[in-house]
């Protein structure tokens, strides 16, 4: 698939590229942090990333700049950012590894199923409310972890459990949706052959 220069360099797509470029900036600040200000800068980088995420969607819809590249780039930037944040936090909060595994399993499941369905001419019609809620909880909690690196372990564990609950809920609720899409695709294929 070829993309025009106008598509590649549309404002929403540039903002998605910026979000991807902010990932190593965040990681560098967080992993080398020595004083509270370093953590605040890392948190600010994530805040800027979140604001650009909101802005690219708003601009794309309001100014009719929705492109096929943008439809792929936006979720890629989201998933890379989420994975990078959770992975980076493992270095300070080792139990975060369980959230990272859960996030990875969920996203691999969704990615693989999405690609299989795309080849069959089907696709998920945007994120569901529970997916958006799970993402919002993840970002809010991760932002707290970044901005408050010395939080008590009990608070940290509770926040990780809450985040894990919403991730797991989202994962479980997506399973029947993908199952239904696969079933409909199979039925359509069979009716075409009949």
């Amino acid at each position: 698939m070829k993309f025009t220069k106008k598509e590649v360099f549309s404002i929403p797509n540039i903002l998605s590229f910026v979000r991807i470029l902010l990932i190593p900036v965040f990681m560098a600040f967080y992993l080398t942090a020595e004083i509270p200000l370093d953590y605040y800068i890392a948190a600010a980088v994530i805040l800027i990333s979140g604001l650009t995420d909101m802005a690219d969607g708003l601009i794309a819809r309001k100014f009719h700049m929705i492109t096929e590249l943008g439809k792929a780039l936006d979720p890629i930037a989201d998933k890379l950012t989420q994975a990078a944040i959770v992975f980076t936090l493992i270095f300070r909060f080792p139990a975060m590894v369980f959230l990272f595994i859960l996030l990875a399993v969920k996203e691999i499941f969704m990615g693989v199923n999405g690609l299989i369905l795309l080849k069959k001419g089907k696709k998920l019609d945007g994120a569901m409310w529970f997916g958006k809620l799970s993402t919002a909880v993840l970002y809010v909690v991760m932002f707290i972890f970044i901005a408050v690196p010395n939080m008590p372990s009990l608070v940290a564990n509770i926040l990780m459990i809450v985040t894990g609950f919403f991730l797991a809920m989202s994962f479980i609720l997506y399973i029947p949706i993908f199952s239904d899409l696969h079933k409909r695709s199979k039925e359509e294929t069979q009716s075409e052959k009949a």
Side-chain angles (χ1 to χ4, degrees):
M1 185 182 287
K2 276 187 114 177
F3 301 109
T4 65
K5 198 172 180 182
K6 188 179 176 184
E7 280 183 311
V8 174
F9 294 105
S10 71
I11 293 169
N13 290 348
I14 289 170
L15 290 173
S16 290
F17 287 125
V18 167
R19 273 162 49 221
I20 292 168
L21 293 173
L22 285 174
I23 293 169
V25 176
F26 156 71
M27 292 178 82
F29 272 107
Y30 189 85
L31 293 174
T32 60
E34 293 179 358
I35 58 172
L37 180 63
D38 296 333
Y39 291 106
Y40 300 151
I41 293 169
V45 170
I46 293 306
L47 185 61
I48 291 165
S49 176
L51 292 172
T52 58
D53 183 20
M54 284 170 44
D56 79 19
L58 289 169
I59 292 167
R61 286 187 294 274
K62 187 172 174 79
F63 298 101
H64 310 290
M65 292 182 175
I66 297 169
T67 63
E68 289 305 312
L69 176 61
K71 286 179 186 175
L73 194 59
D74 180 59
I76 289 169
D78 283 346
K79 303 313 168 196
L80 287 175
T81 302
Q82 291 168 22
I85 293 169
V86 177
F87 177 76
T88 304
L89 287 170
I90 291 170
F91 291 91
R92 187 156 192 92
F93 303 95
M96 194 72 72
V97 72
F98 297 109
L99 271 185
F100 182 77
I101 291 166
L102 179 57
L103 181 67
V105 168
K106 173 185 174 276
E107 295 307 330
I108 289 167
F109 167 82
M110 292 188 65
V112 168
N113 276 285
L115 286 172
I116 292 168
L117 287 165
L118 204 56
K119 286 183 179 179
K120 296 176 179 178
K122 293 262 179 225
K123 65 178 183 175
L124 194 64
D125 196 24
M128 302 283 128
W129 68 266
F130 44 83
K132 290 179 180 177
L133 177 62
S134 166
T135 300
V137 169
L138 179 77
Y139 271 117
V140 169
V141 171
M142 294 307 112
F143 184 81
I144 293 167
F145 271 104
I146 296 161
V148 189
N150 295 317
M151 74 172 69
S153 58
L154 176 64
V155 176
N157 290 338
I158 290 168
L159 288 174
M160 282 187 260
I161 289 166
V162 168
T163 308
F165 169 79
F166 282 99
L167 275 175
M169 177 194 73
S170 174
F171 183 18
I172 291 164
L173 291 175
Y174 269 120
I175 292 170
I177 290 171
F178 278 108
S179 177
D180 186 52
L181 284 168
H182 282 295
K183 188 179 171 186
R184 276 194 276 156
S185 174
K186 189 176 179 182
E187 286 169 357
E188 284 173 18
T189 305
Q190 286 172 344
S191 66
E192 283 170 13
K193 286 179 181 176

